[in-house]
Amino acid sequence: MTSALLAFDRAGDRLFDSLRRAAAGRLPSLSALETPAWLGLAVAIAAWAAMVLFSEPWGRLWGTGQDARCYYQATLADPYLHSDWNDPIAYVYSPAFLQLVTPLTALPWQAFMAAWTALLLAAVRFLTGPRLLVAGLLFPFTAMEVAGGNISLLLAAAIVLGFRCPAAWSIVLLTKITPGVGLLWFAVRREWRALAIALGATAVIAAGSFVLLPDQWRTWVEVVARNVAAGKNGTWASLPIPLLVRLPLAVAIIVWGARTDRAWTVPLASMVALPAVWYGGLSMLLAVIPLLPGRGLERYAPAVAAAGRPRTRSATITAPARNTAAPAQNGAAAPNGPASAPPTAGPTTPAA
């Protein structure tokens, strides 16, 4: 079993190295995309004003807030009045999420959009930091997501926060559900406490919500089952790759990343596992940034950063221990072994 896992790790490393070499020289470095913080703030304010301005009247050509309207129109009394897969104002998340956003829906539509857009822009700022904010906002899929008002950016932020506060995963599990495959990170690494917190927090929130809205929860289960069947092949506005194809790929990415200390694979795999990868959902790639060394990894996943570099976990366990005996003088062999210690597994320079 160990040899098979090591072979899997090495295959993943080779594929990743090939992709990185192919991208070298073709994609700019993150440092090259940095701009002054004030410019990022100015672009964010301009984007916020544009999204609010073009949200009214709703439904016009080039209007904004198409997805945000799904949350705005839903009511706690009958949240799933519009819940078919291709309904432009379908609400298909759990009653718990609607309970969370309901206070905002008491606002007039344009005021709701002002608050909702500000929340999405704050998520972009959290993911990119101040100097990459312009690049993050101009990333085409981010612009689409902010304009539409979907929750992918909020899920991306929750996934990053989930490394330090696993309860943040509850927003993922109580909305789009399948990106919760990212929790395999904790299982593969045997971080059972973090996994228990994530699942336990979700269960507590769901239970409390169910007590208040039992009929709506029963309806939600039916809605999920119906839309899984109806939307299994995607739509014109999403990548035409069924979830049944993408989900095993997401699992493989997570397992490889967890075994080799690559925290950035978690948001990547969660994005791949979206129920439908709407083009705006690709904005979840921004969550890779704060999980890179020197970009936030040390803050959000300090245990991973402490490893110093990605590595194969099994290789670390089975590698021979370094010979700590002092070598004999005049070049003679040390009493307990050769003069040079056996090398540790893997490269010694940091890698992404």
Side-chain angles (χ1 to χ4, degrees):
M1 182 65 176
T2 299
S3 60
L5 289 173
L6 289 174
F8 171 78
D9 296 338
R10 287 192 291 269
D13 290 342
R14 287 194 296 269
L15 177 59
F16 175 63
D17 290 340
S18 298
L19 294 174
R20 187 162 54 178
R21 285 194 300 271
R26 294 179 173 85
L27 297 176
S29 66
L30 290 178
S31 298
L33 296 175
E34 291 181 344
T35 60
W38 66 264
L39 183 58
L41 179 60
V43 172
I45 292 174
W48 175 83
M51 300 307 156
V52 175
L53 176 64
F54 284 95
S55 66
E56 188 67 49
W58 180 79
R60 69 175 178 176
L61 186 65
W62 302 111
T64 57
Q66 294 92 339
D67 293 328
R69 191 77 178 194
C70 301
Y71 325 132
Y72 183 76
Q73 62 81 29
T75 65
L76 291 176
D78 191 6
Y80 304 109
L81 177 63
H82 300 278
S83 58
D84 289 334
W85 180 261
N86 286 319
D87 190 325
I89 55 173
Y91 179 78
V92 295
Y93 302 150
S94 74
F97 180 75
L98 186 58
Q99 288 170 299
L100 178 65
V101 302
T102 288
L104 286 179
T105 64
L107 298 171
W109 165 242
Q110 213 160 14
F112 172 86
M113 274 298 293
W116 189 255
T117 302
L119 186 61
L120 298 183
L121 292 173
V124 177
R125 167 61 175 77
F126 168 75
L127 295 170
T128 63
R131 294 189 174 276
L132 285 173
L133 181 55
V134 172
L137 290 173
L138 295 181
F139 183 47
F141 304 115
T142 304
M144 293 172 62
E145 189 71 359
V146 174
N150 208 306
I151 65 169
S152 297
L153 289 166
L154 300 181
L155 299 189
I159 289 169
V160 174
L161 287 172
F163 282 94
R164 297 211 65 166
C165 180
W169 278 95
S170 59
I171 191 175
V172 179
L173 297 174
L174 293 172
T175 53
K176 293 187 182 286
I177 307 176
T178 51
V181 70
L183 288 173
L184 282 174
W185 169 273
F186 298 128
V188 172
R189 296 170 66 86
R190 296 181 175 85
E191 296 176 8
W192 305 120
R193 181 175 181 272
L195 181 60
I197 290 173
L199 296 177
T202 303
V204 169
I205 294 171
S209 175
F210 180 84
V211 169
L212 298 174
L213 301 172
D215 292 337
Q216 288 85 336
W217 271 88
R218 296 186 187 98
T219 303
W220 181 57
V221 173
E222 297 171 1
V223 166
V224 170
R226 183 176 72 244
N227 285 326
V228 165
K232 62 183 178 181
N233 294 320
T235 75
W236 65 270
S238 64
L239 296 182
I241 306 174
L243 178 61
L244 289 178
V245 175
R246 292 183 281 107
L247 194 57
L249 175 60
V251 171
I253 292 172
I254 285 287
V255 172
W256 173 71
R259 287 176 51 77
T260 59
D261 289 326
R262 289 178 166 93
W264 56 263
T265 59
V266 178
L268 173 61
S270 294
M271 183 199 72
V272 170
L274 284 167
V277 185
W278 309 103
Y279 297 116
L282 297 175
S283 63
M284 290 180 69
L285 289 171
L286 293 185
V288 168
I289 297 173
L291 296 176
L292 294 174
R295 292 281 177 182
L297 179 67
E298 297 78 9
R299 177 186 302 175
Y300 299 111
V304 178
R309 59 178 172 81
R311 70 189 192 282
T312 299
R313 294 175 65 81
S314 294
T316 304
I317 296 172
T318 59
R322 184 182 295 274
N323 186 353
T324 57
Q329 299 298 321
N330 302 322
N336 295 322
S340 60
T344 56
T348 58
T349 56

